[in-house]
Amino acid sequence: MASVPSLASTLQQQLADALTAALPDAGTADPLLRRSDRADFQANGILALAKKLKGNPRELAGQVTAALPAGELIKDIEVSGPGFLNITLADKAIVETLAARAADAEGRLGVPVAEDAGKTVIDYAQPNVAKEMHVGHLRSAVIGDAMVRILEFTGEDVVRRHHIGDWGTQFGMLIQYLIEHPGALKHEGGATDGEAAMSTLNRVYKESRVLFDSDEEFKARSRDRVVALQAGDPETLELWQGFVDESKIYFYSVFDKLDMEVRDPDIVGESGYNDMLEETCRILEETGVAVRSEGALCVFFDDVKGPDGNKVPLIVKKTNGGYGYAATDLSAIRNRVQDLKADTLLYVVDARQSLHFKMVFETARRAGWLSDGVEAVQLAFGTVLGKDGKPFKTREGETVRLEDLLDEAVERATAVVREKAEKVGLSEEEIVENGRYVGVGAVKYADLSTSAVRDYKFDLDQMVSLNGDTSVYLQYAYARIQSILRKAGDAVPAAHPELALAPAERALGLHLDQFGEVLSEVAAGYEPHKLAAYLYQLASHLTTFYDQCQVLSPDNAPEVVENRLFLVELTARTLHRGMALLGIRTPERL
């Protein structure tokens, strides 16, 4: 089905055409249309035009109004103040546009697929092999997953990349320990038990670290093992792969709790670019982008200086011949641009790494790997804070394990669901399932409803509340609509454009119509919090609608019942689609 233009875009076009017809000397003009509390919309562009043409703005506004086409879009238009246009749309136009959205058989609600879509590589959810995931891994995973869903929905060709930490000197210690203690990675939990896998990895890491710190001979053997790993020794690589595979069992168990899909082919860690590192360094040195400084290969920048005033370099290759993170990140850029043919590289990475990525992106541009046709963007995110406003820690001052955080959220949410279960008639299976959806949704929404670059406080009591800007409020709004639809009996949702709309119906309808425009803005600016804000406002409009407009009242004429069922059903579909794009489930009963 073709996309459905929004009421605002149709009105914008009609006003632009009227401006051109009434004021041909003005050329192409923007009516500066926006939502208004005085009417449905207000157009302010005539003031600037009047100044430019040295005319009377109210007279010009009258000419533009006269040039508007006769039709069924506009109910009333008023020239206000020094030349503002206050515009009220016809109820019929609102309902007909919404009916066209509802008729979209593809489930897109009339949202267009971008005609100029390209290919975006998204780098997100970057855990480290042989290490537990903690609260610091939450935001990259949740924000990245939402952006993947949103960009794909709007038509972008998205390539997922999980740049896991699977290489480095610590693996020499771990592998050497495994050689000297065969079977240390075996555990009783079974091949798919994430907790058992992480428990085993933790044990091996701690035991090998104790030995490394206390035994100089073992330390020397471990360092030799790093050399063997980097040289591609088959036995060493096989044991290294064992650590990677064991870690993936754990990763997948955590991502499953987060209700996220992470696929094996999308995991291309630091090791995936090993074969490119030397060539990357050679090209940078030969082209003069990087220079030798105190034995290291470095890139310098005029605007990056330390406290002493000296330039701080991006170190690509260390003095001892080892490669820095920059070499891997630059090689990844080469691969993503030259081999994957990406137009955009999106990195969902902690704001504290902003300087590193600024330097990496600038280096790639100097080397010609990032051309004018390729954009590299860091979607930087802030820190998860505790209720005290400090970085989120356990009572003992330890970093919070991501699994523990999710388990507690689900436990709290399940208790909330259980309180309502008897009234709704939920089975124990439904209570457990909905508890998971509500708990995980609460954690995701708290993250996504905050502008990514800002820090936010992790407050589970607020997150699982039925009141306020929470996912539970939105999930409950969806479930409430499903309850109404189940009680509707023989009445079916049907649009009735001939009916006059109550104020709350109009407000709900106009907000529903904005869904596609909001998604376009969210995709363009990588701002999922704007979708969360839209959905919360939608649920708020729905609450007002319930208060002012009974849906199944026996006092309503059949067509009024059908039209109101139509409005709430389209609201439910919009909530469901919007929440799904954020990676959050909407239970049918809650």
Side-chain angles (χ1 to χ4, degrees), residues 173 205-215:
M173 176 186 77
Y205 184 87
K206 289 176 181 177
E207 291 172 359
S208 63
R209 171 55 70 180
V210 169
L211 197 57
F212 186 87
D213 291 339
S214 62
D215 188 332

Side-chain angles (χ1 to χ4, degrees), residues 123 126 140 347-354 357 378-381:
D123 190 326
Q126 308 104 346
S140 178
Y347 293 79
V348 187
V349 183
D350 193 316
R352 289 171 290 188
Q353 296 188 46
S354 294
F357 278 98
Q378 182 193 357
L379 203 177
F381 56 81

Side-chain angles (χ1 to χ4, degrees), residues 519-532:
L519 282 182
S520 178
E521 184 179 350
V522 168
Y526 310 123
E527 298 173 303
H529 71 280
K530 290 186 176 180
L531 174 56

Side-chain angles (χ1 to χ4, degrees), residues 143-191:
I143 296 169
D145 182 57
M147 284 314 309
V148 166
R149 294 167 184 264
I150 291 165
L151 289 174
E152 286 184 337
F153 185 74
T154 55
E156 189 78 359
D157 180 5
V158 176
V159 178
R160 301 165 173 83
R161 278 294 176 265
H162 305 294
H163 191 84
I164 65 171
D166 64 351
W167 205 248
T169 54
Q170 77 272 21
F171 286 101
M173 176 186 77
L174 292 168
I175 294 168
Q176 189 60 36
Y177 183 84
L178 207 57
I179 288 174
E180 298 177 15
H181 299 78
L185 273 184
K186 293 180 180 178
H187 56 80
E188 299 177 358

Side-chain angles (χ1 to χ4, degrees), residues 557-572:
E559 60 270 22
V560 172
V561 172
E562 290 177 351
N563 200 57
R564 289 180 177 175
L565 284 172
F566 160 73
L567 284 173
V568 296
E569 195 227 13
L570 184 57
T571 300

Side-chain angles (χ1 to χ4, degrees), residues 30 43 60 101 118 124 156 174 176 183 187 267 319 398 522 559:
D30 186 349
L60 293 178
R101 293 198 180 284
Y124 69 108
E156 189 78 359
L174 292 168
Q176 189 60 36
H187 56 80
I267 297 179
T319 304
E398 300 292 326
V522 168
E559 60 270 22

Side-chain angles (χ1 to χ4, degrees), residues 125-138:
Q126 308 104 346
N128 294 308
V129 165
K131 292 184 180 179
E132 283 188 297
M133 293 177 69
H134 54 77
V135 67
H137 292 107
L138 177 66

